[in-house]
Amino acid sequence: MPETAAGAPTGAFWAIVPAGGAGTRLWPLSRRDHPKFLLDLTGSGASLLQDTVERLAPLATGGILVVTGSRHNAAVRAQLGLAEAPTAQRDAGAGSAPVRVLAEPSPRDSMPAICWAAAVVERLDPDAVVGSFAADHVIGEPALFDACVREAIAVAQTGALVTIGITPTHAATGFGYIRAGAALAVPGAPSAHAVAEFVEKPDQATAQAYLDTGEFSWNAGMFVARARVLLDLLAEYDPQAAATLRALARDPERLADLWPTITKTPVDLAIAEPAAAAGRVAVIPATFGWDDVGGFDALAALVPEQAPQTTPGLRVLGDAEVLTVDANGLVATTTDRVVALIGVHDLVVVDTPDALLILDRARAQQVKAIVDDLAAHGHTELL
């Protein structure tokens, strides 16, 4: 099989890892300068970003491109063991893939980030398949994840845009949904279906109706396609953006001039939804556990309970000592202060050096209102 100048085989798989967002619903753990993808939120000893790169390394025969903002460039490089030089990459070790970071001058949503990386891959290897996987998701059962991605790659080789649909566990209103259509006969992808449509975040009754049909999955923003196919699709719907991103891949020195001119939009709206309407998108149903850690309610479910001799239902993230009397909940701390709970249940207590948050776990989604209030009152040092 012929090789590219970069040494990757033609038709290789490249993983794209968008690493952006502030994770405001996890404030004060997650901040603008240290967002959730840089945090260890599972107690594994690794950040969500590090876990993501480690999970993708065995699949990424071409390499891994992490796309992050200039604000987080240094921290991302440090976590991934990369030199500070813009073109530096971490060489592949045994069972791993080379890693490179692309730094956006400013946030412009997921389409520019993903398609910039795809354009870079297209220049290196025109027949390569790329897959985009967010840096801040928690995924269980790595073998099942690998199997789903391999099915998606097999379908992408046929020229389709492929997404991985998450099996819903409840009638969530915070996710977009994917409606599956007819089964596809693609060798190596026995579970592939056509995508009938993408639908926006529904209300509660609509979400429940979706679940009742058994035809819908959650849209987690995982997309797999040949790099050239992804850029060609973009060229159909936004020709100027596609041309600009390809120009940027040819001449990275033009980043500062070209980046502000690219349409600011999510990849779903820019490519996936119109492509699905044209019958050009497929879905692989996920068989692995998945969570986007969208708030402290989700985090509380991910952190293991303390040993049986402590209060049942107590979950602790961090190294501080936690004392309880008839109490439980989640305690997340970055300090060494002792935390004591008496007679309270299902609380979330988040203790950081400059901010303390206490909330009812059932109201975890309202944390963003506190962040908005801090911004409105000029407390930018806490954001």
Side-chain angles (χ1 to χ4, degrees):
M1 181 177 292
E3 294 195 345
T4 68
T10 298
F13 178 66
W14 294 70
I16 298 170
V17 180
T24 53
R25 289 180 176 83
L26 289 172
W27 181 89
L29 288 183
S30 181
R31 309 285 183 104
R32 287 178 179 173
D33 289 331
H34 203 67
K36 70 174 180 175
F37 63 82
L38 294 174
L39 304 177
D40 174 9
L41 294 180
T42 63
S44 69
S47 70
L48 298 185
L49 170 65
Q50 290 169 322
D51 280 343
T52 300
V53 169
E54 184 71 19
R55 180 167 56 249
L56 291 167
L59 291 160
T61 54
I64 298 173
L65 291 176
V66 179
V67 188
T68 194
S70 56
R71 185 177 203 144
H72 306 126
N73 188 21
V76 166
R77 290 180 180 280
Q79 285 205 356
L80 299 179
L82 292 165
E84 292 186 6
T87 59
Q89 69 176 31
R90 188 178 72 195
D91 290 334
S96 63
V99 181
R100 179 180 167 190
V101 176
L102 301 177
E104 303 173 306
S106 61
R108 301 202 67 77
D109 220 314
S110 61
M111 182 279 286
I114 293 168
C115 291
W116 178 24
V120 170
V121 172
E122 183 188 37
R123 290 282 296 169
L124 296 172
D125 183 354
D127 293 319
V129 173
V130 296
S132 176
F133 306 91
D136 56 0
H137 292 177
V138 173
I139 290 176
E141 301 92 23
L144 297 179
F145 173 77
D146 284 7
C148 283
V149 174
R150 292 184 192 281
E151 283 200 49
I153 293 170
V155 180
Q157 294 283 11
T158 71
L161 174 61
V162 190
T163 188
I164 296 176
I166 305 300
T167 303
T169 57
H170 60 283
T173 59
F175 303 129
Y177 283 72
I178 304 162
R179 183 165 70 87
L184 301 176
V186 178
S191 62
H193 282 69
V195 169
E197 64 175 334
F198 286 87
V199 292
E200 297 301 317
K201 298 175 183 178
D203 58 29
Q204 189 71 42
T206 304
Q208 186 60 55
Y210 289 166
L211 262 65
D212 292 343
T213 69
E215 298 176 353
F216 288 82
S217 55
W218 288 337
N219 179 12
M222 302 180 194
F223 293 100
V224 179
R226 286 191 184 275
R228 182 161 43 195
V229 167
L230 189 64
L231 271 296
D232 285 349
L233 283 170
L234 179 62
E236 290 186 30
Y237 309 127
D238 190 340
Q240 182 176 353
T244 302
L245 288 162
R246 280 171 160 153
L248 178 56
R250 289 192 300 271
D251 186 1
E253 296 299 320
R254 300 181 65 192
L255 177 61
D257 293 332
L258 294 178
W259 191 254
T261 70
I262 301 168
T263 310
K264 184 177 182 178
T265 185
V267 71
D268 306 69
L269 291 176
I271 302 175
E273 292 184 13
R280 301 167 72 176
V281 185
V283 60
I284 307 295
T287 54
F288 50 84
W290 172 88
D291 202 298
D292 71 340
V293 202
F296 286 110
D297 49 345
L299 183 60
L302 291 172
V303 177
E305 285 193 36
Q306 292 290 285
Q309 63 266 26
T310 62
T311 305
L314 177 65
R315 302 167 189 269
V316 178
L317 184 64
D319 299 324
E321 184 176 3
V322 178
L323 306 176
T324 63
V325 177
D326 184 29
N328 60 29
L330 170 68
V331 177
T333 173
T334 61
T335 76
D336 57 3
R337 281 192 289 261
V338 173
V339 177
L341 305 176
I342 301 174
V344 293
H345 300 274
D346 233 13
L347 282 186
V348 175
V349 178
V350 187
D351 185 29
T352 70
D354 60 353
L356 172 66
L357 174 70
I358 301 171
L359 68 146
D360 184 329
R361 178 179 167 183
R363 302 183 69 174
Q365 294 303 306
Q366 293 180 257
V367 171
K368 188 177 183 299
I370 295 294
V371 175
D372 292 343
D373 196 43
L374 288 170
H377 287 84
H379 295 297
T380 55
E381 78 283 359
L382 295 175
L383 300 177

